[in-house]
């Protein structure tokens, strides 16, 4: 074995620290120099000649995608495109491959997919595996919607009429109209109205008649107060404020005040020399609730929710800004929402981003996990809070 060449001293004449390896001096048993003399000079590093611009432009840091995230996103996009079987295959493979806490959302997505597609046997079988793997109770089977259909049908939306009952109050009447379109049953609180005019009475009457023709449940809070304001506008024998007369007849009809209705109808016929509307027993509304919204009630108590239902496709949500103008937080109910396509989700993000910039809070209530995952894919969770239903 050839011996390593001996270490030559530096030109400065300072003693060189002996090697701790297996060199010639070590083999000869040479003693180590004192600790005070073992001073090693580190060469200085010069960066002046280094140029970052000369580095390889093709160099990239590749971050490995999380398989759970990838599977969840893929399944959500497939489901949004109507590819239920493909989404099911992705979720089934991933859910059985991963049993971590993070992967639990894959199981929740698969539960919702089985429920939405009516696969009860597969749902129950998955529940057994879920209980065994996660040691907790699985979700319970319901109908083909994440929300209870009966509860959705019986839900009553509520909206506070903003501003006065004047013909020029476009925002107030538009908000009421949109709320009527979203809710089969709607409660309108008129308690803050302190004045009205003939055109405003006409616009309210039109909405009431439209609700009746479309068989929508429309309930007015503060009917007595509005009735008193309307009575101040009508005068027997003075053919003015015709819409106020007709609204007064409608209010008597809704409140079941038959005798008062007949008196107003006779005065109307004499004043305008035309037949008044007829009494309809089926038009009588339920008694006004005792716990109506107070005039100084905070906004969060009088806000109705913006409802999303069924299959949402190619929607631009043009009515959402008008709703958000009068509500904070902006509550979007997804209990009856089955699916939303990718285009609609992107449009929804654009609208909500603008609303969020105004400083308002946005809350999605009870979306299914497939829709919620799609919201995550497009980045909607950055502007809104999601609240899931408790099963």
């Amino acid at each position: 074995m050839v011996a390593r060449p001996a270490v030559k001293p530096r030109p400065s004449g300072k003693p060189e620290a002996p090697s701790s390896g297996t060199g010639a001096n070590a083999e000869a048993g040479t003693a180590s120099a004192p600790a005070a003399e073992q001073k090693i000079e580190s060469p200085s590093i010069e960066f002046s000649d280094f140029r970052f611009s000369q580095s390889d432009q093709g160099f990239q840091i590749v971050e490995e995608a999380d398989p759970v995230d990838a599977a969840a996103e893929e399944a959500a996009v497939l489901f949004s495109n109507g590819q239920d079987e493909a989404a099911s295959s992705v979720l089934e493979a991933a859910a059985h491959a991963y049993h971590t806490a993070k992967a639990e959302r894959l199981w929740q997505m698969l539960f919702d997919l089985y429920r939405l597609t009516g696969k009860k046997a597969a749902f129950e079988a998955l529940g057994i595996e879920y209980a065994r793997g996660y040691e907790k109770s699985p979700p319970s089977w319901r109908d083909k919607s994440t929300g209870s259909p009966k509860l959705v049908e019986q839900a009553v939306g509520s909206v506070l009429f903003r501003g006065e009952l004047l013909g020029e109050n476009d925002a107030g009447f538009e908000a009421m109209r949109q709320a009527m379109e979203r809710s089969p049953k709607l409660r309108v609180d008129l308690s803050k109205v302190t004045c009205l005019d003939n055109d405003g009475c006409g616009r309210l009457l039109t909405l009431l008649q439209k609700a009746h023709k479309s068989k929508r449940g429309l309930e007015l809070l503060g009917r007595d107060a509005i009735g008193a304001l309307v009575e101040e506008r009508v005068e027997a024998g003075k053919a003015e404020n015709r819409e106020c007369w007709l609204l007064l007849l409608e209010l008597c009809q809704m409140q079941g005040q038959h005798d008062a209705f007949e008196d107003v109808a006779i005065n109307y016929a004499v004043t305008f020399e035309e037949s008044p509307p007829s009494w309809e027993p089926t038009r009588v509304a339920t008694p006004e609730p005792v716990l109506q919204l107070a005039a100084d009630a905070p906004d969060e108590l009088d806000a109705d929710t913006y409802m999303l239902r069924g299959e949402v496709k190619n929607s631009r949500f043009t009515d959402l800004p008008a709703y958000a103008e009068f509500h904070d937080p902006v509550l979007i109910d997804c209990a009856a929402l089955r699916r939303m396509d990718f285009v609609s989700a992107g449009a929804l993000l654009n609208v909500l981003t603008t609303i969020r910039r105004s400083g308002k809070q946005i809350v999605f209530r009870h979306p299914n996990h497939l829709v919620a995952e799609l919201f995550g894919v497009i980045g909607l969770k950055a502007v809104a809070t999601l609240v899931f239903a408790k099963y």
Side-chain angles (χ1 to χ4, degrees):
M1 185 173 183
V2 180
R4 183 182 301 176
V7 178
K8 295 181 179 181
R10 294 187 178 185
S12 61
K14 294 181 179 181
E16 183 78 17
S19 171
S20 59
T22 56
N25 292 339
E27 294 176 355
T30 304
S32 300
E37 297 180 359
Q38 294 184 5
K39 182 177 181 182
I40 301 175
E41 294 184 357
S42 300
S44 61
I45 301 176
E46 181 61 54
F47 289 100
S48 61
D49 295 332
F50 187 80
R51 297 290 183 270
F52 285 96
S53 60
Q54 296 177 358
S55 60
D56 185 4
Q57 298 298 321
F59 177 77
Q60 296 182 5
I61 298 177
V62 179
E63 187 173 330
E64 185 178 354
D66 185 283
V68 172
D69 290 341
E73 292 176 5
E74 182 182 2
V77 173
L78 288 171
F79 179 77
S80 73
N81 292 333
Q83 298 174 270
D84 295 351
E85 291 302 322
S88 180
S89 298
V90 170
L91 289 173
E92 287 169 355
H96 290 94
Y98 307 104
H99 292 271
T100 63
K102 184 176 182 179
E104 187 176 0
R105 76 189 219 250
L106 299 174
W107 292 74
Q108 297 294 346
M109 292 173 70
L110 192 54
F111 277 124
D112 279 346
L113 181 57
Y114 285 157
R115 183 187 300 113
L116 292 167
T117 53
K119 297 181 178 180
K120 187 174 183 179
F123 181 96
E124 293 177 345
L126 185 68
I128 296 174
E129 295 184 53
Y130 176 85
R132 184 184 301 117
Y134 287 92
E135 298 182 350
K136 55 184 175 181
S137 300
S140 57
W141 173 264
R142 297 189 311 279
D143 289 335
K144 300 177 183 180
S145 166
T146 54
S148 171
K150 292 183 179 179
L151 291 178
V152 170
E153 291 176 2
Q154 295 174 359
V156 179
S158 62
V159 60
L160 178 69
F161 188 87
R162 302 295 180 126
E164 304 295 352
L165 201 65
L166 304 175
E168 62 185 18
N169 185 6
D170 293 334
F173 286 108
E174 180 63 16
M176 179 178 171
R177 184 192 65 79
Q178 292 181 7
M180 286 174 53
E181 291 183 353
R182 292 193 301 270
S183 302
K185 295 183 179 181
L186 180 67
R187 180 176 296 154
V188 181
D189 185 4
L190 300 168
S191 61
K192 289 188 176 182
V193 174
T194 59
C195 66
L196 48 78
D197 62 12
N198 187 61
D199 291 339
C201 289
R203 295 186 70 169
L204 178 59
L205 179 63
T206 299
L207 291 175
L208 294 176
Q209 293 173 341
K210 181 179 180 181
H212 174 65
K213 290 180 180 179
S214 60
K215 297 182 179 180
R216 291 179 176 272
L218 184 60
E219 183 180 10
L220 296 182
L221 300 183
R223 294 190 296 253
D224 292 340
I226 290 297
L229 291 174
V230 174
E231 287 180 356
E232 295 176 0
R233 290 275 179 170
V234 302
E235 183 178 345
K238 193 173 182 178
E240 297 177 354
N241 297 324
R242 182 174 181 273
E243 301 298 329
C244 293
W245 281 88
L246 294 174
L247 179 59
L248 184 57
L249 287 167
E250 182 72 16
L251 292 175
C252 291
Q253 175 77 76
M254 294 180 68
Q255 293 171 296
Q257 299 173 344
H258 183 267
D259 293 340
F261 180 93
E262 290 297 326
D263 291 340
V264 175
I266 293 172
N267 289 331
Y268 175 88
V270 172
T271 301
F272 292 95
E273 298 181 354
E274 64 182 37
S275 299
S278 302
W279 173 265
E280 300 179 46
T282 57
R283 298 287 303 280
V284 177
T286 56
E288 184 171 333
V290 176
L291 298 175
Q292 69 181 66
L293 298 173
D296 58 350
D299 290 345
E300 61 266 27
L301 295 180
D302 57 43
D304 65 316
T305 58
Y306 184 90
M307 302 291 294
L308 294 176
R309 300 175 181 275
E311 304 262 348
V312 176
K313 297 181 180 179
N314 298 319
S315 178
R316 293 293 181 267
F317 307 97
T318 54
D319 60 334
L320 184 51
Y323 164 83
E325 183 179 355
F326 297 101
H327 300 88
D328 188 11
V330 177
L331 303 176
I332 303 177
D333 195 306
C334 301
L337 176 64
R338 184 177 188 273
R339 188 197 320 261
M340 181 180 293
D341 69 355
F342 201 88
V343 173
S344 298
L348 182 60
L349 174 63
N350 291 337
V351 173
L352 292 180
T353 298
T354 302
I355 294 172
R356 186 68 185 89
R357 286 172 181 165
S358 67
K360 295 191 175 184
Q361 299 296 317
I362 303 168
V363 179
F364 282 86
R365 298 197 307 195
H366 304 171
N368 66 55
H369 288 81
L370 294 154
V371 169
E373 197 65 44
L374 177 66
F375 289 166
V377 171
I378 66 170
L380 193 146
K381 292 182 179 180
V383 299
T385 301
L386 274 60
V387 178
F388 292 98
K390 295 181 179 180
Y391 301 142

